[in-house]
């Protein structure tokens, strides 16, 4: 079986300890490769390499850095099918999704930031006729980039691309549950022309490698996407050395549908938004609120459509619902479904770990797409992030009522609003406490917009100029005229 090695100082290397962890294929429940079990020694070597590489990379002309990242994008694109298959095997996601969403977006991330850096501007402020201020934005140094398992290469590249584009060096830490495509990326770095030490990738358990990174004195920037509890741990550890932090955490996103909306479009998007990637996307709309007049018929049509979703072997081309990431996660999702029943919810469809989808997937981690109604808005199932194929639907009557429902959670990542009433759309968009509000759409992404969450969904924003600013240090220079 393949060994997923660290990438340190331009070389693929074994972990210092010599030990590897099983890497499980979620669709089968069986180990299919090994991933390096990294520790402090590996982190120290990677950080030392990044520190050595920084002085040269940080003054490499932007155009040259841009060319290197464009080449990397091209090399991934040349192997798109290999990357898509690897992502599907590693995560259990349908191969069609990996082929059309995950890998194309990773390529786009590199192209976007490779070209954005050529247009990056900094500010100047003329103080009457007395002084001129101008702001330099220089790379900060060594960044640590910690990414999760749900959209592995997509989110890893979302951090690597801007960090390197502006001239930082970096240590990437992919999730131990889905490390394969980051490993494949490391195999392309030399051919793309990334100098040794500029990008290092340390694999292994979050609880071991994570603190070694977030407490490291030579790392001054941390960008993290993952669970809220992990984000809190990172903030605690990074605080004492004043590292600059961007935390993109969980969500419990409301999808608010008024009776005057284009209900066909709302229905189609609500299904995608609840069940994309088996509900394992931080932006998934896991709480649907439907205005009373449209509620009953919406629920009936929604359930009928959800029943048609094809759950199957992630490698089958027509599969729409694959496996969840791990046995533990599958069990956690099933516990929430039990809790929904205990709290008086009606399971309209799904609710179980299905019978084997085929012989190969007999022991895989599957859960049927599940729709729950009749739950109180303030129950745990409606307030906590399940991160699985479970959606609740609740009726509402007034704008005030639905705004209070939408905001009745510790999270504040995104929301969707469906209405043909323009002023109502603007009014409610302003009142829902989320970093992103989609009106009459979901997941319509423009990579230039600020992306991130309020409340427990995170700190800071990624995307476009926000990312370029995050990964640089502003210095104001004031010249008296
Ligand atoms: O994520 P973790 P988990 C949510 C979702 C899920 C829950 C837990 O609700 O059920 O989080 O998922 C690394 N210091 N999201 O436990 O642990 C880890 O190795 C530093 C939302 O799998 O947050 C991995 O690389 N790093 C989400 C990364 O953090 C640590 C996506 C994310 O793993 C660490 C995924 C530590 N102490 C889960 N512990 C989103 N926002 O999209 C772990 N890691």
């Amino acid at each position: 079986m393949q060994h997923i090695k660290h990438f340190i100082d331009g070389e693929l290397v074994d972990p210092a300890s010599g030990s590897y962890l099983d890497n499980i294929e979620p669709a089968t429940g069986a180990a299919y490769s090994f991933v390096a079990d990294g520790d402090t020694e590996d982190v120290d070597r990677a950080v030392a390499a990044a520190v050595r590489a920084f002085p040269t990379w940080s003054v490499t002309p932007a155009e040259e850095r841009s060319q290197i990242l464009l080449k990397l994008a091209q090399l991934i694109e040349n192997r798109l099918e290999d990357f898509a298959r690897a992502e599907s095997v590693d995560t259990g996601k349908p191969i069609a999704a990996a082929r059309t969403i995950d890998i194309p977006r990773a390529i786009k991330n590199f192209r976007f930031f490779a070209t954005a850096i050529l247009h990056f501007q900094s500010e100047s402020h003329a103080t009457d006729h007395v002084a001129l201020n101008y702001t330099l934005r220089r790379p900060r140094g060594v960044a640590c980039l910690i990414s999760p398992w749900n959209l592995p290469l997509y989110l890893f590249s979302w951090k690597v691309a801007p960090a390197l584009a502006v001239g930082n060096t970096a240590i990437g830490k992919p999730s131990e549950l889905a490390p394969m495509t980051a490993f494949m990326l490391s195999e392309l770095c030399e051919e793309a022309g990334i100098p040794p030490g500029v990008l290092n990738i340390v694999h292994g358990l979050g609880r071991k490698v994570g603190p070694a990174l977030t407490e490291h004195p030579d790392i001054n920037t941390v960008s993290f996407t993952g669970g809220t509890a992990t984000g809190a741990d990172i903030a605690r550890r990074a605080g004492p050395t004043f590292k600059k932090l961007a935390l993109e955490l969980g969500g419990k996103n409301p999808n608010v549908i008024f009776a005057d909306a284009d209900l066909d479009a709302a229905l189609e998007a609500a299904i995608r938004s609840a069940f994309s990637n088996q509900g394992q996307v931080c932006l998934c709309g896991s709480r649907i609120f439907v205005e009373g007049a449209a509620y009953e018929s919406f629920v009936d049509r929604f359930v009928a459509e959800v029943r048609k979703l094809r759950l199957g072997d992630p490698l089958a081309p027509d599969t729409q619902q694959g496996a969840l990431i791990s046995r533990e996660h599958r069990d956690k999702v099933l516990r929430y479904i039990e809790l929904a029943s205990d709290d008086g919810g009606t399971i309209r469809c799904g609710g179980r770990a299905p019978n084997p989808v085929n012989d190969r997937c007999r022991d895989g981690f599957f859960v049927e797409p599940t729709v729950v109604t009749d739950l109180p808005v303030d129950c745990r199932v409606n307030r906590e992030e399940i991160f699985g194929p479970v959606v609740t639907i609740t009726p509402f009557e007034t704008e005030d009522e639905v705004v209070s429902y939408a905001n009745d959670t510790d999270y504040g990542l995104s929301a969707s609003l469906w209405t043909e009433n323009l002023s109502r759309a603007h009014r409610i968009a302003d009142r829902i406490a989320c970093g992103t509000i989609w009106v009459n759409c979901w997941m319509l992404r423009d990579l230039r917009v600020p992306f991130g969450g309020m409340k427990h969904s995170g700190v800071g924003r990624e995307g476009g100029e926000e990312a370029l600013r995050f990964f640089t240090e502003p210095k104001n220079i004031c010249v008296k005229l």
Side-chain angles (χ1 to χ4, degrees):
M1 285 200 292
Q2 189 166 19
H3 283 70
I4 294 174
K5 299 183 177 195
H6 299 315
F7 181 60
I8 298 177
D9 212 6
E11 308 274 346
L12 291 168
V13 295
D14 288 313
S17 67
S19 80
Y20 281 83
L21 306 160
D22 283 348
N23 186 27
I24 310 286
E25 178 177 0
T28 66
Y32 81 101
S33 56
F34 298 110
V35 57
D37 182 8
D39 61 20
T40 309
E41 211 177 320
D42 300 312
V43 168
D44 287 345
R45 281 168 62 202
V47 176
V51 168
R52 280 195 302 274
F54 180 71
T56 305
W57 182 249
S58 59
V59 297
T60 298
E63 210 168 316
E64 213 171 297
R65 295 196 302 263
S66 170
Q67 287 301 329
I68 289 172
L69 294 177
L70 288 172
K71 174 99 186 271
L72 185 59
Q74 190 57 51
L75 293 173
I76 301 170
E77 193 163 49
N78 295 347
R79 293 189 54 201
L80 193 149
E81 194 51 33
D82 295 341
F83 271 94
R85 192 185 157 86
E87 203 72 296
S88 171
V89 170
D90 216 21
T91 60
K93 72 175 66 212
I95 189 158
R99 190 184 280 138
T100 57
I101 301 169
D102 290 75
I103 308 305
R105 172 59 191 274
I107 295 164
K108 205 167 158 179
N109 287 340
F110 281 114
R111 292 204 170 120
F112 176 82
F113 285 109
T115 48
I117 190 63
L118 302 178
H119 304 269
F120 187 34
Q121 298 173 348
S122 61
E123 311 86 314
S124 82
H125 300 87
T127 312
D128 301 322
H129 295 280
V130 179
L132 180 63
N133 293 273
Y134 62 93
T135 307
L136 289 177
R137 291 189 176 270
R138 298 294 193 207
R140 289 179 49 81
V142 179
C144 122
L145 314 170
I146 305 177
S147 58
W149 44 262
N150 57 334
L151 301 163
L153 193 64
Y154 173 137
L155 290 174
F156 190 63
S157 54
W158 182 235
K159 299 179 186 305
V160 170
L164 266 48
V166 299
N168 295 293
T169 56
I171 321 298
K173 156 71 184 85
S175 169
E176 60 272 36
L177 299 176
M180 184 58 89
T181 49
F183 171 68
M184 291 168 69
L185 177 84
S186 63
E187 292 180 311
L188 301 178
C189 285
E190 189 184 351
E191 192 181 346
I194 296 183
V198 167
L199 174 63
N200 306 274
I201 301 178
V202 178
H203 295 279
L205 298 171
R207 64 171 183 276
K208 246 160 78 174
V209 178
L213 287 166
T214 53
E215 292 177 358
H216 202 292
D218 293 335
I219 289 177
N220 63 6
T221 309
V222 179
S223 171
F224 169 77
T225 300
T228 294
T230 311
D233 182 70
I234 291 173
R236 257 193 312 274
R237 292 176 193 275
T241 42
F242 307 106
K243 295 178 184 1
K244 193 173 183 183
L245 274 184
L247 303 174
E248 204 274 273
L249 310 174
K252 187 73 182 175
N253 311 302
N255 193 348
V256 175
I257 300 171
F258 285 89
D260 71 356
D262 174 344
L263 291 173
D264 292 341
L267 184 83
E268 184 274 327
I271 291 173
R272 261 190 312 119
S273 116
F275 298 114
S276 284
N277 205 33
Q278 297 73 248
Q280 302 168 124
V281 180
C282 54
L283 300 166
C284 272
S286 50
R287 296 181 297 149
I288 301 177
F289 299 104
V290 185
E291 192 173 1
Y295 178 76
E296 290 299 341
S297 70
F298 183 91
V299 171
D300 290 346
R301 289 178 65 201
F302 188 86
V303 169
E305 291 301 316
V306 172
R307 284 186 204 279
K308 292 185 201 158
L309 290 174
R310 281 185 303 277
L311 184 145
D313 187 334
L315 291 177
D318 60 348
T319 291
Q320 294 171 304
Q321 288 287 288
L324 302 195
I325 189 67
S326 66
R327 177 171 286 113
E328 294 69 31
H329 190 56
R330 190 257 329 259
D331 293 346
K332 173 185 142 181
V333 171
L334 290 173
R335 278 198 299 278
Y336 271 107
I337 296 173
E338 248 178 72
L339 188 61
S341 293
D342 294 347
D343 282 349
T346 308
I347 311 292
R348 297 289 186 120
C349 66
R352 297 167 311 168
N355 292 327
V357 297
N358 63 19
D359 204 38
R360 189 182 97 83
C361 299
R362 212 179 31 241
D363 299 319
F365 314 131
F366 295 86
V367 173
E368 293 168 339
T370 301
V371 180
V372 189
T373 57
D374 307 315
L375 277 175
V377 175
D378 60 354
C379 70
R380 282 184 54 201
V381 170
N382 262 327
R383 293 177 54 90
E384 297 175 12
E385 186 181 45
I386 301 175
F387 219 60
V390 180
V391 68
T392 64
I393 315 186
T394 307
F396 70 89
E397 295 303 333
T398 67
E399 280 185 27
D400 283 347
E401 184 187 10
V402 79
V403 166
S404 77
Y405 289 173
N407 287 333
D408 191 13
T409 164
D410 290 333
Y411 294 102
L413 191 57
S414 71
S416 280
L417 291 180
W418 294 84
T419 177
E420 293 295 299
N421 179 332
L422 186 64
S423 39
R424 171 194 275 157
H426 287 296
R427 207 162 45 232
I428 298 189
D430 196 30
R431 293 178 66 194
I432 295 184
C434 285
T436 297
I437 311 269
W438 279 295
V439 178
N440 295 334
C441 59
W442 177 71
M443 203 50 162
L444 209 169
R445 291 282 287 117
D446 180 324
L447 302 190
R448 293 169 301 176
V449 306
F451 178 81
M454 298 184 183
K455 303 195 287 188
H456 291 196
S457 288
V459 176
R461 293 292 183 271
E462 298 181 313
E465 292 262 322
E466 299 277 349
L468 300 178
R469 291 210 176 103
F470 172 73
F471 283 113
T472 50
E473 186 74 54
K475 179 194 284 178
N476 188 69
I477 295 164
C478 175
V479 183
K480 186 168 181 304
L481 297 176

